[in-house]
Amino acid sequence: MKEIEKRLNDNGVRPTAMRILIYKYMAEKEVAVALTDIENAFAKADRTTLYRTLKTFEEKGIVHQIDDGTHISKYALCEPGCNCELEQDLHLHFHCNNCEETVCLTEQKIPHINLPDGYIAEDANLIVKGICEKCSG
Amino acid sequence: MKEIEKRLNDNGVRPTAMRILIYKYMAEKEVAVALTDIENAFAKADRTTLYRTLKTFEEKGIVHQIDDGTHISKYALCEPGCNCELEQDLHLHFHCNNCEETVCLTEQKIPHINLPDGYIAEDANLIVKGICEKCSG
DNA sequence: ATTTTTGATGCAACGGAAGTGCATTTATTA
DNA sequence: TAATAAATGCACTTCCGTTGCATCAAAAAT
Ligand SMILES: [Mn+2]
Ligand SMILES: [Mn+2]
Ligand SMILES: [Zn+2]
Ligand SMILES: [Zn+2]
């Protein structure tokens, strides 16, 4: 578990007990989590703390926010060494219409898109919806 | 303006005065609109009516909903004869980080994506963020 | 034409999620 | 130990989406 502390330290985030727990929680789950999920998992902690933890993690590049079309922000841990900001590292996200879960498909990069003249791309978000492998099996 | 009435009728929506006004409003705007926008444009009408009008339009294939990552639903008129549901007709949407407006880029289709085994795609949503042509010029 | 039925609109309220200001506690560092 | 900075907790707000029910208008049936 010293690894988590190191990861946080390396990214300029002080490894408090709560933050380590949240990191662990996200590492164990294989799907993207919403603030509400964390809230339910840590009923004793205050929502604001959890909220701000996610914001801090996001700022410091520990997690990335995911917009899966549900209008609820989801978060997932970044791969160690990933640069989510850069176009080359943008991967797609899959949202299952059955189990409602959202996962990172880190291998599937977002293809480069040609835009009409005058448009300048800075970021992209591709989300595919359908049936996930667990639900289709 | 008989055209609008026809369009609504053809899609199984009774062309009330309010609905025609909303349709006209969306046709004149070149950008996707949120419920709040319509609300501001028609202060006299009730929110619920406007809300339900959008829902009806969406169900009947008159508008499509757009998720531009702001967590606010936007809507835009469908091209006549478009099948937004079908993969071939899925176009990308552009959200300007400067003016905050979202537009349909109907010519830019979403490329086909290969998914890992077990995943079944039913729908896709690609949104590119950056600077729009108005703001970059 | 009058009644009956269906659909559209309006009003009021609810709920979820995001966000903020300020007090308090905990950890650093002087 | 005292001073400072950061993290946490509490209370409250705002915004958007959504629903139930009453009322009003239009269409269909008699
Ligand atoms: Mn991801
Ligand atoms: Mn569109
Ligand atoms: Zn699933
Ligand atoms: Zn712009």
Side-chain angles (χ1 to χ4, degrees):
Chain A
M1 300 312 156
K2 290 294 176 193
E3 286 179 32
I4 296 179
E5 288 189 40
K6 183 172 188 314
R7 181 78 215 271
L8 296 184
N9 268 322
D10 290 353
N11 286 64
V13 173
R14 281 157 66 173
T16 68
M18 199 66 238
R19 286 170 174 173
I20 293 173
L21 283 174
I22 294 175
Y23 190 102
K24 238 195 263 188
Y25 172 77
M26 294 184 74
E28 282 164 5
K29 296 209 72 165
E30 73 288 9
V31 299
V33 301
L35 174 57
T36 314
D37 298 324
I38 302 181
E39 215 181 324
N40 293 333
F42 301 97
K44 287 183 304 185
D46 188 78
R47 244 202 31 261
T48 314
T49 304
L50 307 175
Y51 170 76
R52 287 183 176 137
T53 299
L54 284 174
K55 286 293 174 197
T56 303
F57 280 8
E58 191 188 2
E59 273 172 24
K60 300 310 174 89
I62 294 170
V63 306
H64 57 284
Q65 195 193 19
I66 302 166
D67 244 312
D68 62 8
T70 60
H71 287 188
I72 299 172
S73 287
K74 306 282 169 65
Y75 299 85
L77 293 180
C78 293
E79 307 274 301
C82 98
N83 281 53
C84 292
E85 313 308 318
L86 279 66
E87 187 177 349
Q88 61 188 42
D89 262 11
L90 290 174
H91 55 270
L92 79 85
H93 293 107
F94 188 92
H95 178 76
C96 179
N97 289 328
N98 183 243
C99 65
E100 312 260 87
E101 290 191 318
T102 300
V103 294
C104 296
L105 296 183
T106 50
E107 300 307 313
Q108 328 289 315
K109 303 300 181 194
I110 297 182
H112 179 265
I113 309 288
N114 283 321
L115 295 174
D117 280 356
Y119 287 88
I120 302 164
E122 293 177 345
D123 191 11
N125 181 27
L126 173 57
I127 133 107
V128 177
K129 298 175 199 217
I131 308 297
C132 79
E133 46 124 9
K134 275 183 213 145
C135 292
S136 75
Chain B
M1 303 310 160
K2 290 294 177 191
E3 286 178 32
I4 296 179
E5 288 189 40
K6 183 172 187 314
R7 181 81 215 270
L8 297 183
N9 268 321
D10 291 352
N11 286 62
V13 173
R14 281 158 64 175
T16 68
M18 198 66 236
R19 285 170 175 172
I20 293 173
L21 283 174
I22 294 176
Y23 190 102
K24 239 195 263 188
Y25 173 76
M26 294 183 75
E28 281 162 8
K29 297 209 71 164
E30 74 288 10
V31 300
V33 300
L35 174 56
T36 312
D37 298 324
I38 302 182
E39 217 182 323
N40 293 335
F42 301 97
K44 288 184 303 185
D46 188 79
R47 260 170 66 74
T48 315
T49 303
L50 307 175
Y51 170 76
R52 287 184 175 135
T53 298
L54 284 174
K55 284 294 175 195
T56 304
F57 279 8
E58 190 188 1
E59 274 172 24
K60 300 311 174 90
I62 294 169
V63 305
H64 58 283
Q65 196 193 19
I66 302 167
D67 241 310
D68 60 9
T70 61
H71 287 187
I72 299 172
S73 288
K74 306 282 171 64
Y75 298 86
L77 293 181
C78 293
E79 307 274 299
C82 98
N83 281 53
C84 293
E85 314 306 320
L86 280 66
E87 188 177 347
Q88 61 188 46
D89 263 9
L90 290 175
H91 55 268
L92 81 83
H93 294 108
F94 187 92
H95 178 76
C96 179
N97 288 329
N98 183 244
C99 65
E100 311 260 88
E101 290 190 317
T102 300
V103 293
C104 297
L105 296 183
T106 50
E107 300 307 312
Q108 329 288 317
K109 302 301 181 192
I110 298 183
H112 178 265
I113 308 288
N114 284 321
L115 294 174
D117 281 356
Y119 288 87
I120 302 165
E122 293 177 344
D123 192 10
N125 182 26
L126 173 57
I127 133 105
V128 177
K129 298 176 200 213
I131 308 297
C132 77
E133 45 124 10
K134 275 183 214 146
C135 293
S136 76

